Amino acid sequence: MGILDKTVCGLRGWTVLKLGLVCIAFIVLISCVASIKDGAHESAEPGLRYEPDLGPDVIIHYRESISSHGPGDNQVVNRLKRFMKDYDLHNHSKSNLRECGPDNYPDASADIFCVFKDEWINNACNEEMSFGYPRHPCIFLLLNKVENWVPVTYQSLDELPQSMPVDLRNHIAEVTENNDGKVPELVWIHCEGQAPVDVENLGVIKYYSPWNDWHGIPAYYFPYKDNPDYMTPVLQIQLDKPQSDILIHLECTAWAKNLNHKTSAGYDLIAIQILGSTAKK
């Protein structure tokens, strides 16, 4: 009689072997899921991402309530609530955080990080306002987590590429004039409708940031470090009353000298699809 024909605790050897293989497969699956969760949004190269991120190729679909101030779709709002927990200072070691500025930021080799406070989210886009949903939805823009990557910023207006959208070039020129003629060292971000019909249906796009509402993210937040106290900076955009019941395509691009990816525009780009549905009685 072979070993697999014997019984163990009343079970034949073949049955024990099958149960064992099932357990091993389950353990491997759990480990893979945990690994994917821990490495979420980490990437080999820099790129834009956004919240609410509901999954690959998933439309940001929310339902408009009867009240213009009522909560939007719970899936969208709940996703943003979970996202904002990363910015609760109670979840970080305050001794490792510092408020930074263009001339005051920690050395990249130190385990000290620039803080991003949840109170820096504009009042129009905070949790109390249901992140603007449903009528004035907010979208949070961030960069992927790429260790050791530091943006190479534009140092003068002459360095701005001709392919950069005109309204972004004008914005940078304006903030440069108000910044004693110095171009702020940011990863600049620009959003617009993908097609003329999307531009029309989007309405006005508002940009909010704690950095004088400049349309970008300061370079001093980089490089990203795989440390629980690192806080990913956020640029907020708000869509002012986008058209309902129409799928709208929004494109956002990030601009720095060393952002040059395989996209139609030649720069890092993300496409966001949004759909606001009117409430049905």
Side-chain angles (χ1 to χ4, degrees), residues 10-184:
L11 299 175
R12 294 182 65 82
W14 282 107
T15 302
V16 173
L17 177 61
K18 291 177 182 178
L19 289 173
L21 291 174
V22 169
C23 290
I24 292 173
F26 181 75
I27 292 172
V28 170
L29 176 62
I30 294 298
S31 299
C32 289
V33 170
S35 176
I36 292 173
K37 182 178 180 181
D38 290 341
H41 303 301
E42 291 188 11
S43 175
E45 56 183 350
L48 273 179
R49 63 183 179 94
Y50 66 90
E51 291 290 348
D53 182 357
L54 304 177
D57 302 318
V58 176
I59 297 171
I60 300 178
H61 184 196
Y62 57 92
R63 299 171 185 84
E64 297 180 8
S65 61
I66 296 175
S67 168
S68 61
H69 298 290
D73 185 80
N74 285 337
Q75 183 184 21
V76 173
V77 173
N78 288 339
R79 169 69 191 190
L80 289 172
K81 285 181 179 179
R82 292 194 299 272
F83 168 72
M84 286 306 302
K85 288 182 180 179
D86 290 341
Y87 298 92
D88 185 343
L89 292 181
H90 293 95
N91 298 328
H92 297 270
S93 174
K94 294 183 180 180
S95 61
N96 292 341
L97 299 174
R98 177 188 301 175
E99 287 197 29
C100 299
D103 302 313
N104 177 31
Y105 53 90
D107 185 88
S109 62
D111 285 332
I112 303 295
F113 310 103
C114 295
V115 69
F116 188 95
K117 299 179 180 180
D118 54 3
E119 64 192 54
W120 291 352
I121 298 296
N122 188 277
N123 289 339
C125 292
N126 63 18
E127 183 174 340
E128 184 178 348
M129 294 298 293
S130 296
F131 307 102
Y133 292 85
R135 290 304 294 133
H136 307 275
C138 294
I139 298 172
F140 297 163
L141 300 173
L142 316 86
L143 270 76
N144 287 336
K145 299 175 178 178
V146 182
E147 289 196 70
N148 301 319
W149 181 81
V150 176
V152 179
T153 59
Y154 303 111
Q155 299 297 307
S156 72
L157 297 178
D158 292 335
E159 292 181 346
L160 302 182
Q162 291 298 317
S163 54
M164 179 180 282
V166 173
D167 53 347
L168 179 57
R169 290 171 60 91
N170 291 340
H171 170 73
I172 297 175
E174 181 181 350
V175 301
T176 298
E177 182 179 356
N178 296 330
N179 194 44
D180 297 326
K182 183 179 180 180
V183 179

Side-chain angles (χ1 to χ4, degrees), residues 98-275:
R98 177 188 301 175
E99 287 197 29
C100 299
D103 302 313
N104 177 31
Y105 53 90
D107 185 88
S109 62
D111 285 332
I112 303 295
F113 310 103
C114 295
V115 69
F116 188 95
K117 299 179 180 180
D118 54 3
E119 64 192 54
W120 291 352
I121 298 296
N122 188 277
N123 289 339
C125 292
N126 63 18
E127 183 174 340
E128 184 178 348
M129 294 298 293
S130 296
F131 307 102
Y133 292 85
R135 290 304 294 133
H136 307 275
C138 294
I139 298 172
F140 297 163
L141 300 173
L142 316 86
L143 270 76
N144 287 336
K145 299 175 178 178
V146 182
E147 289 196 70
N148 301 319
W149 181 81
V150 176
V152 179
T153 59
Y154 303 111
Q155 299 297 307
S156 72
L157 297 178
D158 292 335
E159 292 181 346
L160 302 182
Q162 291 298 317
S163 54
M164 179 180 282
V166 173
D167 53 347
L168 179 57
R169 290 171 60 91
N170 291 340
H171 170 73
I172 297 175
E174 181 181 350
V175 301
T176 298
E177 182 179 356
N178 296 330
N179 194 44
D180 297 326
K182 183 179 180 180
V183 179
E185 295 190 24
L186 272 66
V187 175
W188 298 97
I189 296 175
H190 177 263
C191 297
E192 63 183 351
Q194 188 177 61
V197 66
D198 296 309
V199 174
E200 180 180 349
N201 290 326
L202 273 171
V204 177
I205 301 175
K206 299 178 180 179
Y207 295 77
Y208 299 127
S209 80
W211 314 290
N212 302 313
D213 281 338
W214 293 342
H215 300 182
I217 295 173
Y220 53 71
Y221 276 94
F222 302 94
Y224 158 77
K225 290 189 178 181
D226 186 13
N227 186 299
D229 287 326
Y230 178 85
M231 307 182 80
T232 303
V234 177
L235 176 69
Q236 311 137 57
I237 62 170
Q238 185 177 40
L239 311 181
D240 190 20
K241 296 183 180 179
Q243 186 66 38
S244 302
D245 299 314
I246 294 178
L247 183 63
I248 303 174
H249 298 83
L250 173 70
E251 285 187 347
C252 296
T253 49
W255 298 81
K257 289 183 181 179
N258 55 342
L259 280 178
N260 187 9
H261 296 306
K262 299 175 182 178
T263 64
S264 58
Y267 288 84
D268 184 68
L269 177 150
I270 54 172
I272 306 170
Q273 299 183 91
I274 60 174
L275 174 62

